[in-house]
Amino acid sequence: MDAYASHGGNFIDTADMYNQWVPGHIGGESETIIGTWMKARDNRGSMVIATKVSKMDRLPGLSAANIFAACEESLNRLQTDYIDLYYSHQDDESVSLEETLGAYAQLIAQGKVRYIAASNFSTGRLRQAIKISKENNLPSYCAVQDLYNLVDRTTYESGMAQTVADLGISNIPFYGIARGFLTGKYRPAITEVDSKRAAGAREYANDKNYAVLAAMDEICAAHNNAPLAAIALAWLRAQPTVSAPIASARTVEQLNEIIQIIDLSTSEVEQLNAISA
């Protein structure tokens, strides 16, 4: 995080349920680390913090009571009195959208949340939520966070992209480098990769996606041998409904690859569009 901040990075994405899947963890560990770091560096005012509610095993769903409880816990772990961007981490159809949005309205009025966004919603429910916000003068989701990357385009482009465009909001996509596949570490001749996400990245290992890597190799050469990860994120930033992609790094070396900003030409974007379609 120090390295990220040294590059001018200021937007950190987390969730209350991170990392409850790790043996011995219960969720909240990521927020605690971020909060401790901001407190030690006294840099809360210069950071933009996004976190989420509804997928924590102990605090599931989007009822008003759960949102209030989860928000307080997140604020305590983050050692802050406000959250910049608070996501509904997944939809909860057992709760009315009016109740969920009304809870967010209270948190915004109290200064505990600044903006809200949605993740893993259907297009229909997202449109309905925005409609209810407008009709009832309630806070409105300003963004979505959905899976989208150069080798995983179908789900988002089959409906959500148009919905996001119609609503005038944007996507802050996760898995921007496809769990590491788009770093180029995973090639046909490479059998072992030192990564906790290796199994997930291997799901992308097929001839079509290897062809995408080959096209990216050509583009990298034209950009002073820029890292493939930087090319993958540049492609995402070039998409009209994307505001900023999310990518993870577990070492400073990996961070130095994804932090680089590459501007792709129109022809390069079109080349990647065609090969990955």
Side-chain angles (χ1 to χ4, degrees):
M1 288 189 285
D2 282 341
Y4 178 59
S6 74
H7 284 289
N10 70 340
F11 190 4
I12 297 178
D13 180 87
T14 186
D16 61 353
M17 57 91 72
Y18 298 167
N19 297 1
Q20 67 183 14
W21 58 85
V22 176
H25 288 202
I26 60 172
E29 290 82 9
S30 174
E31 289 178 330
T32 297
I33 291 169
I34 294 165
T36 300
W37 174 75
M38 290 192 298
K39 187 75 171 180
R41 303 298 185 268
D42 191 26
N43 64 358
R44 175 66 184 96
S46 62
M47 303 307 295
V48 178
I49 303 298
T51 192
K52 310 177 188 72
V53 57
S54 85
K55 291 182 71 174
M56 192 182 208
D57 289 344
R58 188 168 49 80
L59 290 169
L62 293 174
S63 68
N66 192 69
I67 289 172
F68 295 146
C71 182
E72 286 303 315
E73 289 200 11
S74 288
L75 290 171
N76 289 335
R77 288 188 292 264
L78 289 164
Q79 299 188 56
T80 184
D81 55 5
Y82 68 96
I83 294 164
D84 294 288
L85 184 61
Y86 202 28
Y87 282 94
S88 293
H89 201 171
Q90 68 180 9
D91 195 8
D92 181 0
E93 295 193 34
S94 71
V95 178
S96 71
L97 290 166
E98 289 86 349
E99 177 179 343
T100 296
L101 295 168
Y104 289 138
Q106 291 188 50
L107 292 175
I108 290 171
Q110 293 165 0
K112 295 178 179 179
V113 169
R114 291 187 168 178
Y115 299 94
I116 59 171
S119 182
N120 302 304
F121 272 51
S122 68
T123 57
R125 285 280 286 182
L126 180 63
R127 287 180 183 273
Q128 186 181 4
I130 300 292
K131 182 174 183 288
I132 288 172
S133 294
K134 291 179 178 179
E135 292 176 348
N136 296 278
N137 195 30
L138 290 168
S140 183
Y141 293 130
C142 67
V144 301
Q145 186 179 132
D146 281 358
L147 170 62
Y148 189 38
N149 59 59
L150 190 51
V151 292
D152 209 334
R153 297 172 53 185
T154 304
T155 300
Y156 180 69
E157 292 183 357
S158 65
M160 185 58 78
Q162 187 60 55
T163 296
V164 164
D166 291 345
L167 295 173
I169 60 177
S170 64
N171 186 16
I172 306 174
F174 62 87
Y175 288 168
I177 52 176
R179 299 184 180 183
F181 180 82
L182 291 171
T183 64
K185 292 184 295 188
Y186 301 86
R187 305 281 185 164
I190 298 175
T191 58
E192 294 293 333
V193 173
D194 178 21
S195 173
K196 295 181 183 296
R197 291 186 169 180
R202 288 291 183 194
E203 294 177 7
Y204 294 104
N206 57 53
D207 289 344
K208 177 184 175 182
N209 292 340
Y210 287 139
V212 172
L213 293 181
M216 293 172 67
D217 287 335
E218 294 179 12
I219 293 172
C220 285
H223 289 271
N224 299 315
N225 293 316
L228 261 70
I231 300 299
L233 297 177
W235 178 85
L236 274 172
R237 285 194 298 272
Q239 304 310 305
T241 59
V242 171
S243 54
I246 295 171
S248 301
R250 62 187 176 91
T251 67
V252 172
E253 290 74 22
Q254 290 176 356
L255 172 73
N256 290 338
E257 292 187 1
I258 64 174
I259 204 72
Q260 297 184 38
I261 303 298
I262 305 296
D263 291 321
L264 299 178
S265 67
T266 299
S267 63
E268 289 171 333
V269 172
E270 290 174 348
Q271 178 186 356
L272 291 174
N273 285 347
I275 198 74
S276 63

